Amino acid sequence: MLMQNDQFNQAMELRMILTRIATGEDTKEDGEKYKFLREVFVSNTFTKALLPDFVITCRLLNDFWPYIKRRFSTYADRREFIREEFEPILAYLEGDKLFMHDSIISDSIGKFDCDTVIYMWNKALDRREADPDGAITAARSLLESVCKQILVERNISYDDSIDLPKLFKTTTRSLNLAPERHIESIIKQILSGIQNTIHGFASLRNKISDAHGKPKGGYKVNKRHAEFAINIAGSTSSFLIQTHLEVPAVVGVFTDNKAVATKQRT
């Protein structure tokens, strides 16, 4: 996996290549470089979502020239347009809204390729400083969305009104992560700890997030609470996703919450 600053430099190079062709300064090597760099970002669900639309539609560098020529008549306008369009992905990669820990989680979530999950993760990150309440709610929704998507992909039915602890338990059982399914004490301890953390996380969200009204003088949420909630939800989601992608589905019936595994995942 590329380090964050490597991808930032590649995004800057991609922007410069497009700026050169928009201003008549492109070189022979730019065409191949563009194809390579475009593939780097298009192949990752997260970075693809942040790319300018014209990079998605212009598969070859020569495709960009008629587009930018029609759009703007002056070099100055073209430069400014390209600069503005690249700002979201550059800010993302530079770290204005992303810490290295977030990058690792983002990589796992990107591999999952689920729009709802990606949206909730981005929403949690975007809100953690300006809107900690909203960030905690988004973090909870992220974890719920990951669990539900895993169950859907494993052909396991569930009650849509199920609470997070039960939903998480159903998901971990489908992934063979339930503590009772392991005999090694250290493994059971770790898996039990994860379950207890999710119970605590659900309580945190219920007590101090914006999902419930708070009385006057109630507990005020700040950035550290949001950061804590996002780290829990993000790390747990990443662990579940990676396990889901590596472990075959468990065949069986989960009678405690009416979830049923219908077939082996191949």
Side-chain angles (χ1 to χ4, degrees):
M1 182 180 68
L2 286 170
M3 296 298 289
Q4 202 77 1
N5 59 343
D6 292 335
Q7 285 195 318
F8 176 82
N9 291 334
Q10 288 185 322
M12 284 293 294
E13 185 176 6
L14 184 60
R15 190 184 80 172
M16 288 188 289
I17 289 172
L18 289 164
T19 301
R20 284 199 294 268
I21 194 171
T23 55
E25 300 174 358
D26 54 306
T27 66
K28 292 182 179 180
E29 294 79 17
D30 282 347
E32 288 302 314
K33 286 183 180 178
Y34 174 81
K35 286 172 60 178
F36 170 76
L37 293 171
R38 178 184 177 276
E39 179 61 25
V40 167
F41 295 109
V42 169
S43 62
N44 181 286
T45 306
F46 253 84
T47 52
K48 181 180 179 180
L50 295 170
L51 280 175
D53 290 340
F54 54 76
V55 176
I56 305 298
T57 57
C58 296
R59 293 177 173 82
L60 301 175
L61 184 58
N62 287 338
D63 296 338
F64 180 64
W65 170 243
Y67 166 84
I68 197 68
K69 183 180 179 181
R70 289 193 305 268
R71 190 79 184 266
F72 300 99
S73 59
T74 69
Y75 286 173
D77 287 341
R78 293 172 188 175
R79 289 192 189 96
E80 181 62 17
F81 172 70
I82 294 170
R83 187 193 67 78
E84 290 179 353
E85 289 294 300
F86 267 86
E87 189 56 30
I89 192 169
L90 290 174
Y92 174 91
L93 295 172
E94 192 173 32
D96 289 349
K97 296 182 179 179
L98 191 72
F99 303 127
M100 186 54 67
H101 179 249
D102 301 340
S103 178
I104 296 171
I105 296 172
S106 295
D107 187 62
S108 294
I109 290 176
K111 291 176 182 177
F112 201 33
D113 197 20
C114 174
D115 291 342
T116 301
V117 170
I118 293 171
Y119 171 76
M120 287 301 172
W121 175 239
N122 278 329
K123 186 176 181 180
L125 294 179
D126 288 342
R127 290 189 173 191
R128 64 180 160 195
E129 294 192 24
D131 181 15
D133 280 325
I136 292 174
T137 300
R140 162 71 176 259
S141 297
L142 165 70
L143 197 49
E144 289 175 336
S145 297
V146 167
C147 288
K148 289 179 179 180
Q149 183 63 26
I150 288 174
L151 293 177
V152 167
E153 293 189 10
R154 288 175 170 255
N155 297 293
I156 298 174
S157 61
Y158 60 89
D159 184 347
D160 202 46
S161 63
I162 190 173
D163 63 25
L164 178 57
K166 289 182 180 178
L167 178 64
F168 182 77
K169 183 177 181 180
T170 301
T171 306
T172 56
R173 292 185 72 182
S174 77
L175 298 171
N176 198 30
L177 294 174
E180 65 270 16
R181 295 192 174 189
H182 295 267
I183 59 174
E184 300 90 345
S185 59
I186 186 62
I187 299 299
K188 293 184 69 172
Q189 183 178 353
I190 292 172
L191 295 176
S192 295
I194 295 174
Q195 283 196 349
N196 291 335
T197 299
I198 297 306
H199 277 271
F201 174 70
S203 298
L204 171 70
R205 184 262 191 174
N206 290 337
K207 285 185 177 294
I208 66 176
S209 81
D210 65 357
H212 300 273
K214 294 190 285 282
K216 184 178 180 180
Y219 196 85
K220 181 176 176 59
V221 180
N222 59 37
K223 179 184 174 182
R224 74 175 186 275
H225 299 122
E227 194 70 51
F228 178 59
I230 291 170
N231 286 340
I232 290 174
S235 297
T236 305
S237 295
S238 176
F239 177 60
L240 293 177
I241 290 169
Q242 291 183 59
T243 305
H244 167 61
L245 295 176
E246 295 174 5
V247 177
V250 175
V251 177
V253 178
F254 305 155
T255 57
D256 57 341
N257 47 27
K258 300 179 181 179
V260 181
T262 58
K263 68 178 183 179
Q264 183 83 13
R265 180 170 176 260
T266 58

